[in-house]
Amino acid sequence: MLQDTDNPIYDLIAKEKKRQIEGIELIASENYTSTSVLQAMGSILTNKYSEGYPSKRYYRGNQYIDQIENIAIDRAKELFKVDHVNVQPCSGSSANFAVHLAFLNVGDRTMGMSLDAGGHLTHGSKVSVSGKYFDSVNYGVGDNGFINYDQVRKIALDHRPKLIWTGLSAYSRVIDWKEFRKIADEVGAILIADIAHIAGLIATGHYPSPVPHADVITTTTHKTLRGPRGAMIMCNEQYAESIDKAVFPGTQGGPHNHTIAAIAVALKEASTEEFKKYSQQVILNAKKLADELTKKGYTIVSGGTDNHLMLTDVLKSVNLSGKEASLALECANITVNKNAVPNDSRKPWDPSGVRIGTAAITSRGMKEKEMEKIAQYIDTVLRNSNNEDLIKKIKLEVKNFTKNFLIPGIN
Ligand code: DSN
């Protein structure tokens, strides 16, 4: 047993478990998986190599692995109503890299939402391979924090990219996939929707689906979808071969079979009525939390949220940088990440905002009433960030508060 063979690692896992239990987890990209997902993830499937795809493997002995991968694929097709699914990308970043490889040559032009506007590093940021190997141009959001589709169109027409990326990491509003489709058609671009953050909300019909507007859809599986850390690429039959080749052998070797099995389990869970209700509550909670923070004088980018997250300009609200605010909150067992806000004048390492999400706390069964309490904790901490005694008191309150909410897969 791990406890006997490697006590330092066992001990640190136990400490991390305690941290998860005793804290309010507001990182928008995190969630708690079920015991079943954890069981599949921690299984002997990790022992097997299976380069290739079901019935087309380079190694023998894949009779069961093939069946598992096919189940994952079929469940994803059914849930998202897509033609083709590749469940092998190890992460969202590798999925997005594979998409670039499938359609572009080095130096070709790609266009995506800038990081500070709520896009993702892999949508063409200059510090990522997506902006280093490819000629990337960015669009942002208007002064009101919403995507301005006229501006997106103008940038697309001026630069005529081969790929247009939509999707979000910190954009809290509904994306008009249809309008992006029109823009992509006007410039002859392939349209990619990265739904990593909102996959669970889309699967349950609580956020518009990019199907059939996007040509290719990428997603991680561990955020609102509540599965293991992994990713998928979904596309029309027309692009299936290019996508599969770009994943393997283009960018990866043997797939993580334990993860693929856990993705299959999560996809089954995501098709239940219970998960549908959970997803709806995630959004209700986010709206409530945004309202409560607004009432307390916080600036929420775009004035609210349509999904599971919000971006709070803490510099404007309480004169703390994102780094200072996230550190103060961590001292009270409340976890958020510092985040740039649109047109941020500060550097990403210490930006003006924090991003707050409700997917994880909703998995613990928290509802609107608890959002009022959490907004109160956040406000007290941020307005008294130098008062160590008060922060210690809030930390104790948070510990007691979280005791009432069990964590799937842990308690
Ligand atoms: N790191 C993830 C997030 O927090 O949104 C995306 O890569």
Side-chain angles (χ1 to χ4, degrees):
M1 299 297 275
L2 184 61
Q3 185 167 14
D4 309 313
T5 61
D6 196 336
N7 199 259
I9 292 296
Y10 177 86
D11 192 43
L12 287 167
I13 293 174
K15 284 183 174 147
E16 168 60 15
K17 183 171 165 181
K18 186 168 182 291
R19 189 196 68 81
Q20 291 188 13
I21 291 171
E22 293 182 348
I24 297 175
E25 182 54 71
L26 296 174
I27 291 183
S29 46
E30 294 186 16
N31 212 331
Y32 308 108
T33 60
S34 67
T35 305
S36 306
V37 167
L38 290 174
Q39 274 175 359
M41 190 70 190
S43 69
I44 49 82
L45 296 175
T46 192
N47 298 341
K48 186 72 193 113
Y49 255 120
S50 344
E51 279 95 335
Y53 290 99
S55 308
K56 288 171 277 180
R57 306 285 187 185
Y58 285 82
Y59 297 12
R60 302 307 319 168
N62 278 301
Q63 56 271 47
Y64 305 114
I65 298 296
D66 277 5
Q67 291 179 54
I68 289 169
E69 187 163 339
N70 278 329
I71 290 174
I73 290 168
D74 288 345
R75 288 181 182 168
K77 280 185 183 173
E78 173 69 26
L79 194 62
F80 290 97
K81 310 280 177 255
V82 287
D83 294 346
H84 180 81
V85 184
N86 186 308
V87 292
Q88 294 194 4
C90 295
S91 73
S93 297
S94 46
N96 289 354
F97 185 41
V99 171
H100 281 98
L101 183 75
F103 299 113
L104 301 185
N105 291 312
V106 172
D108 280 351
R109 188 160 294 155
T110 174
M111 172 171 156
M113 190 190 242
S114 66
L115 204 53
D116 66 340
H120 191 254
L121 275 172
T122 56
H123 298 180
S125 160
K126 296 294 176 198
V127 295
S128 131
V129 74
S130 63
K132 277 184 193 282
Y133 288 7
F134 306 103
D135 177 17
S136 69
V137 289
N138 289 148
Y139 57 89
V141 290
D143 291 339
N144 58 5
F146 285 73
I147 294 172
N148 177 333
Y149 294 90
D150 291 337
Q151 270 173 12
V152 175
R153 174 172 283 105
K154 183 172 179 334
I155 296 169
L157 285 167
D158 285 351
H159 295 277
R160 308 199 80 84
K162 281 193 172 174
L163 290 188
I164 296 181
W165 288 83
T166 62
L168 58 99
S169 264
Y171 183 71
S172 63
R173 296 303 187 172
V174 164
I175 292 178
D176 189 340
W177 309 113
K178 208 168 164 183
E179 196 55 33
F180 267 108
R181 174 76 266 161
K182 278 193 214 155
I183 295 169
D185 286 344
E186 284 168 39
V187 298
I190 290 174
L191 182 65
I192 320 291
D194 179 344
I195 62 166
H197 267 266
I198 47 182
L201 311 179
I202 289 171
T204 51
H206 295 296
Y207 189 100
S209 171
V211 179
H213 310 296
D215 296 300
V216 177
I217 299 169
T218 63
T219 186
T220 53
T221 47
H222 48 275
K223 298 181 175 104
T224 53
L225 198 54
R226 214 162 67 179
R229 300 188 72 87
M232 306 191 292
I233 305 178
M234 305 180 255
C235 61
N236 302 331
E237 211 46 69
Q238 180 188 0
Y239 299 118
E241 196 183 336
S242 314
I243 290 293
D244 285 352
K245 279 191 177 155
V247 174
F248 174 83
T251 49
Q252 290 188 180
H256 293 185
N257 298 310
H258 53 304
T259 305
I260 291 171
I263 289 174
V265 174
L267 291 168
K268 185 175 180 193
E269 291 175 0
S271 66
T272 60
E273 268 314 301
E274 194 188 339
F275 193 81
K276 212 176 232 181
K277 283 192 201 132
Y278 157 73
S279 290
Q280 187 179 26
Q281 191 63 48
V282 167
I283 299 177
L284 292 173
N285 283 351
K287 285 183 185 294
K288 179 69 177 171
L289 193 50
D291 283 352
E292 289 297 312
L293 289 171
T294 305
K295 275 195 233 157
K296 293 181 191 307
Y298 289 81
T299 301
I300 307 287
V301 173
S302 87
T305 180
D306 300 323
N307 57 28
H308 65 301
L309 65 81
M310 68 209 73
L311 204 48
T312 313
D313 188 331
V314 281
L315 194 68
K316 208 186 251 179
S317 310
V318 285
N319 203 26
L320 291 176
S321 71
K323 186 175 171 184
E324 290 165 335
S326 60
L327 271 170
L329 289 167
E330 188 175 33
C331 291
N333 281 17
I334 299 171
T335 323
V336 299
N337 66 282
K338 59 191 175 196
N339 213 100
V341 298
N343 306 312
D344 208 325
S345 55
R346 300 174 65 91
K347 296 265 181 265
W349 184 243
D350 192 8
S352 304
V354 295
R355 187 184 63 167
I356 297 177
T358 55
I361 50 174
T362 309
S363 290
R364 295 184 83 160
M366 295 187 191
K367 298 217 165 107
E368 285 90 335
K369 191 157 73 78
E370 284 73 42
M371 299 307 115
E372 286 175 24
K373 191 135 198 161
I374 290 173
Q376 186 61 56
Y377 288 143
I378 292 174
D379 186 41
T380 307
V381 170
L382 295 187
R383 290 192 194 280
N384 299 278
S385 59
N386 289 325
N387 185 338
E388 280 185 29
D389 289 341
L390 184 59
I391 303 250
K392 272 190 199 146
K393 187 172 159 275
I394 299 290
K395 178 177 175 164
L396 205 62
E397 276 189 40
V398 167
K399 265 172 139 176
N400 283 328
F401 168 72
T402 52
K403 273 190 193 140
N404 301 317
F405 300 95
L406 302 182
I407 299 184
I410 293 190
N411 299 120

